C-alpha cells in the first residue's frame, strides 16, 4: 500500500468516526443495546474479512496477552456507554470534545503510570484544556444551550477516562498480537462487558426497535466499526506518526460541524472558545511530542 492510498483510507475512517455522534443521536433504543450490537457486528465483520483473506487468529499471542486484551475491551465498552449517554445529555460537539481529551489525561497520569515527567509546555496544554472543558460545560453561562449540559460533560469526561484506560492497556499488550486480532478481541469484549446490563434492560423495559433503529445499528456496526476499523488500522502501519496525529483532527472537526449543521446543536460563544482551547491544546501537545516510529498510536472511536 502506498502513502496516498493509506492516507485516503485513514481520512475515510476518521470522517466516518466523526459522523458517529449524529447516528447515535438519531436512535431511540437504550445506549447499552447500541453498544452490545456494535461490538458484536463489528467483531463479526472483521472476523469475516480475516477469513476471506485466509488469515487466522494468533491464539498463542492472544492467550499470552489475554488479561490486558480483556481489560482493554472492557474500557472500550464503557467508553462507548459514557460517550453515547453524553450525546443524549449535551451536544455531540461537546461530548466529542470531552472524549477527545483522553490523550491529555494520559499525559496527566504519566508520572504515576510510566514515571515520566510532565514538561512545562505540556502542563500548559493540560491547563488550557481544563479551562476549555469548563467553558464548554456551561457553568459560566447558565448551562449553555442544553438542559443537562453539565451531566453530559461529566459523562463525556468519563468516556475520556475509559479511553485513556484503553490507551494504557494497549501499551501493555505485546506487539506479537496482530492488530486485527487485538481489535476482534476488544470489540467482542466490549459486548461481553455490557451484556448483563443489556439483559437487565431487556427484562425490565420494553425495547422497541423501529426500522430506522435497525438500519442505524447495522450502519454503526458495519460502517462505523467493521469497515472503519479495517481502514484505520490498515493505514496505521504505512503513515508517519505525525501524519496520523494531524489527520486525527478530522474526527472532532466533522463531529462539531455535524452537531451544528445537521442536529442544530449550536455552541454558545463561550463554548466555541472552549472548543478552540481544547483543540488547540491537543494540537500543540502533539506538536511538541516526538514519538518514535514504533510507538503504538491511540485507538479510534
Amino acid at each position: 500500500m502506498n502513502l496516498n492510498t493509506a492516507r485516503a483510507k485513514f481520512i475515510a475512517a476518521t470522517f466516518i468516526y466523526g459522523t458517529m455522534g449524529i447516528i447515535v443521536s438519531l436512535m431511540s433504543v437504550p445506549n447499552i443495546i447500541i453498544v452490545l450490537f456494535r461490538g458484536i457486528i463489528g467483531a463479526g465483520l472483521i472476523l469475516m474479512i480475516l477469513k476471506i483473506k485466509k488469515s487466522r487468529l494468533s491464539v498463542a499471542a492472544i492467550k499470552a496477552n489475554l488479561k490486558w486484551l480483556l481489560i482493554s475491551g472492557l474500557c472500550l465498552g464503557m467508553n462507548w456507554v459514557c460517550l453515547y449517554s453524553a450525546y443524549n445529555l449535551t451536544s455531540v460537539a461537546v461530548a466529542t470534545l470531552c472524549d477527545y481529551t483522553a490523550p491529555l489525561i494520559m499525559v496527566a497520569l504519566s508520572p504515576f503510570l510510566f514515571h515520566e515527567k510532565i514538561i512545562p509546555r505540556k502542563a500548559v496544554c493540560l491547563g488550557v484544556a481544563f479551562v476549555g472543558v469548563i467553558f464548554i460545560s456551561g457553568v459560566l453561562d447558565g448551562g449553555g444551550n442544553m438542559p443537562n449540559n453539565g451531566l453530559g460533560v461529566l459523562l463525556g469526561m468519563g468516556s475520556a477516562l475509559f479511553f485513556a484506560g484503553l490507551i494504557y492497556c494497549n501499551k501493555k499488550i505485546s506487539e506479537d498480537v496482530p492488530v486485527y486480532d487485538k481489535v476482534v478481541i476488544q470489540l467482542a469484549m466490549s459486548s461481553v462487558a455490557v451484556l448483563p446490563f443489556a439483559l437487565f434492560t431487556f427484562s425490565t423495559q420494553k425495547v422497541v426497535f423501529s426500522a430506522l433503529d435497525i438500519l442505524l445499528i447495522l450502519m454503526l456496526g458495519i460502517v462505523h466499526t467493521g469497515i472503519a476499523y479495517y481502514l484505520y488500522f490498515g493505514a496505521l502501519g504505512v503513515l508517519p506518526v505525525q501524519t496520523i496525529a494531524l489527520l486525527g483532527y478530522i474526527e472532532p472537526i466533522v463531529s462539531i460541524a455535524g452537531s451544528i449543521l445537521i442536529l442544530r446543536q449550536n455552541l454558545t460563544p463561550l463554548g466555541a472558545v472552549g472548543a478552540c482551547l481544547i483543540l488547540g491544546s491537543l494540537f500543540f501537545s502533539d506538536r511538541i511530542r516526538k514519538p518514535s516510529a514504533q510507538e503504538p498510536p491511540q485507538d479510534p472511536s
Side-chain angles (χ1 to χ4, degrees):
M1 184 190 307
N2 59 42
L3 279 175
N4 288 334
T5 301
R7 190 181 297 111
K9 287 185 174 182
F10 193 88
I11 290 173
T14 50
F15 187 90
I16 291 171
Y17 295 142
T19 64
M20 182 179 64
I22 299 171
I23 300 298
V24 174
S25 296
L26 295 175
M27 295 187 197
S28 59
V29 296
N31 297 320
I32 289 290
I33 309 301
I34 298 174
V35 173
L36 175 69
F37 285 108
R38 182 184 180 187
I40 292 173
I41 297 171
L45 182 59
I46 293 179
L47 275 175
M48 188 183 303
I49 293 173
L50 292 177
K51 187 173 182 178
I52 292 173
K53 295 181 67 176
K54 297 181 179 179
S55 177
R56 296 183 178 181
L57 295 178
S58 179
V59 177
I62 289 173
K63 285 184 177 179
N65 295 269
L66 190 58
K67 180 181 77 170
W68 290 111
L69 284 168
L70 295 181
I71 296 174
S72 63
L74 172 63
C75 288
L76 178 62
M78 295 311 299
N79 166 261
W80 288 349
V81 170
C82 290
L83 182 59
Y84 297 173
S85 298
Y87 287 152
N88 295 331
L89 296 172
T90 184
S91 68
V92 168
V94 169
T96 301
L97 287 167
C98 290
D99 183 55
Y100 223 68
T101 61
L104 291 175
I105 291 177
M106 284 299 296
V107 171
L109 295 177
S110 60
F112 309 99
L113 298 178
F114 308 112
H115 306 290
E116 297 175 356
K117 292 183 178 180
I118 302 178
I119 63 176
R121 284 179 294 180
K122 285 196 175 184
V124 171
C125 288
L126 282 170
V128 171
F130 180 72
V131 173
V133 170
I134 293 175
F135 282 6
I136 65 173
S137 70
V139 297
L140 299 181
D141 54 5
N145 294 327
M146 306 292 287
N148 296 304
N149 197 64
L151 181 56
V153 168
L154 288 177
L155 285 167
M157 295 304 297
S159 72
L161 189 59
F162 282 112
F163 195 177
L166 176 61
I167 297 172
Y168 175 75
C169 290
N170 280 336
K171 290 180 179 292
K172 293 291 185 178
I173 297 172
S174 169
E175 294 182 2
D176 294 336
V177 182
V179 62
Y180 289 119
D181 293 23
K182 180 174 68 173
V183 170
V184 167
I185 300 300
Q186 289 176 339
L187 288 174
M189 185 58 197
S190 70
S191 291
V192 172
V194 302
L195 181 58
F197 303 100
L199 292 176
F200 178 78
T201 300
F202 278 121
S203 65
T204 56
Q205 66 182 80
K206 185 177 180 181
V207 180
V208 179
F209 292 87
S210 67
L212 179 62
D213 288 329
I214 295 173
L215 175 64
L216 294 180
I217 286 175
L218 289 173
M219 182 182 297
L220 195 65
I222 296 172
V223 178
H224 289 74
T225 311
I227 294 176
Y229 270 54
Y230 185 78
L231 294 174
Y232 182 94
F233 285 107
L236 285 184
V238 179
L239 294 175
V241 174
Q242 289 298 332
T243 300
I244 292 170
L246 184 61
L247 294 179
Y249 288 95
I250 293 173
E251 179 184 348
I253 290 172
V254 170
S255 292
I256 294 171
S259 175
I260 295 172
L261 298 177
I262 298 177
L263 299 178
R264 302 298 180 184
Q265 299 172 335
N266 294 325
L267 289 168
T268 64
L270 201 57
V273 173
C276 292
L277 290 177
I278 292 173
L279 291 175
S281 63
L282 288 165
F283 178 82
F284 285 108
S285 179
D286 275 337
R287 298 282 73 74
I288 60 181
R289 174 173 167 266
K290 297 180 180 179
S292 65
Q294 290 76 31
E295 180 180 341
Q298 67 181 53
D299 286 86
S301 300

